[in-house]
Amino acid sequence: DAGITQSPRHKVTETGTPVTLRCHQTENHRYMYWYRQDPGHGLRLIHYSYGVKDTDKGEVSDGYSVSRSKTEDFLLTLESATSSQTSVYFCAISEPPGLAARTDTQYFGPGTRLTVL
Amino acid sequence: EDKVVQSPLSLVVHEGDTVTLNCSYEVTNFRSLLWYKQEKKAPTFLFMLTSSGIEKKSGRLSSILDKKELSSILNITATQTGDSAIYLCAGTDRGSTLGRLYFGRGTQLTVWP
């Protein structure tokens, strides 16, 4: 298994509070991703990072921000949590996309279940 | 609109049955198609397919890609209760510098003893 951990694994918070989720990897992969998974929607990309301090938005980025100050850590912040952000959040890593399709494979962390009341 | 569509959305079978899960994709400049298995935790990688007609196998699981039909199937023979999971299909875009995966919504497979 890829060395990816996420913390916390479970969190319950109230509407309007800030929340930060952490993803930590020991694989030294340059690319990191944050997804959310909801019933009926599958996995949707929130933000991704292609290097330290290099990040960009995915398809569902509103209400979320990210930071990457070290290769191994990728943080996802909900500035003011809303009930619609109740979800399971997965971090993933991959090698940089290249000529070889094998670099397309992403490896996932164990997930964080977030409940916003 | 969805770029990757999986069917059926859910499937219930008995141990020993053979199942076929379907995935169709509309990804510009298609490069690869990936299958993942998700139990009550993170998706785990099963197969990557890049060439049409080549079958990938791992034990009772096998998958094949049809580039002409823009589709893939995942077969599981002699199913076991441990095969119960969500099976996710994802396509990648040759033109994407991100290496982005476009996921389908998954097929929930339940295997009864």
Side-chain angles (χ1 to χ4, degrees):
Chain A
D1 289 347
I4 311 169
T5 57
Q6 292 184 232
S7 59
R9 296 293 313 280
H10 301 271
K11 185 169 183 68
V12 179
T13 191
E14 294 188 348
T15 298
T17 60
V19 176
T20 295
L21 308 183
R22 180 181 183 237
C23 176
H24 179 79
Q25 58 141 332
T26 57
E27 304 297 319
N28 202 35
H29 280 2
R30 207 170 101 215
Y31 275 61
M32 298 185 75
Y33 312 81
W34 277 107
Y35 290 89
R36 60 178 289 175
Q37 188 174 37
D38 305 289
H41 288 279
L43 284 160
R44 292 182 291 175
L45 183 65
I46 305 172
H47 281 279
Y48 65 96
S49 170
Y50 46 96
V52 173
K53 295 197 166 108
D54 293 322
T55 65
D56 208 343
K57 296 178 181 180
E59 62 186 300
V60 289
S61 59
D62 287 349
Y64 302 95
S65 62
V66 290
S67 64
R68 187 144 177 228
S69 59
K70 297 186 288 185
T71 298
E72 57 267 34
D73 289 325
F74 192 30
L75 303 182
L76 176 71
T77 297
L78 291 65
E79 301 289 347
S80 177
T82 67
S83 59
S84 65
Q85 294 175 312
T86 293
S87 187
V88 180
Y89 291 86
F90 287 102
C91 172
I93 64 174
S94 74
E95 295 178 1
L99 294 176
R102 66 173 178 79
T103 59
D104 294 347
T105 304
Q106 293 181 17
Y107 300 94
F108 287 81
T112 294
R113 183 173 294 277
L114 176 68
T115 302
V116 183
L117 301 176
Chain B
E1 69 282 4
D2 287 352
K3 290 178 179 285
V4 177
V5 178
Q6 293 186 244
S7 64
L9 290 180
S10 66
L11 189 57
V12 180
V13 299
H14 288 282
E15 271 193 320
D17 289 348
T18 294
V19 299
T20 298
L21 309 183
N22 301 287
C23 175
S24 64
Y25 59 89
E26 291 184 23
V27 177
T28 308
N29 299 316
F30 168 83
R31 179 158 95 167
S32 64
L33 188 137
L34 291 82
W35 284 97
Y36 286 84
K37 177 183 181 181
Q38 185 177 23
E39 296 170 270
K40 294 184 187 296
K41 49 185 179 178
T44 54
F45 173 71
L46 292 174
F47 299 115
M48 173 190 287
L49 301 152
T50 57
S51 299
S52 193
I54 294 177
E55 185 179 22
K56 290 280 186 83
K57 290 194 73 170
S58 177
R60 297 176 293 102
L61 277 67
S62 64
S63 183
I64 195 162
L65 178 69
D66 186 337
K67 274 189 175 179
K68 185 177 177 183
E69 298 296 326
L70 303 181
S71 65
S72 175
I73 59 171
L74 176 67
N75 281 320
I76 308 175
T77 60
T79 51
Q80 302 171 357
T81 55
D83 294 326
S84 295
I86 298 172
Y87 290 84
L88 297 166
C89 169
T92 67
D93 182 345
R94 184 183 297 277
S96 170
T97 57
L98 162 64
R100 178 172 174 174
L101 298 183
Y102 295 94
F103 280 92
R105 300 184 185 193
T107 293
Q108 172 74 63
L109 174 66
T110 303
V111 182
W112 291 102

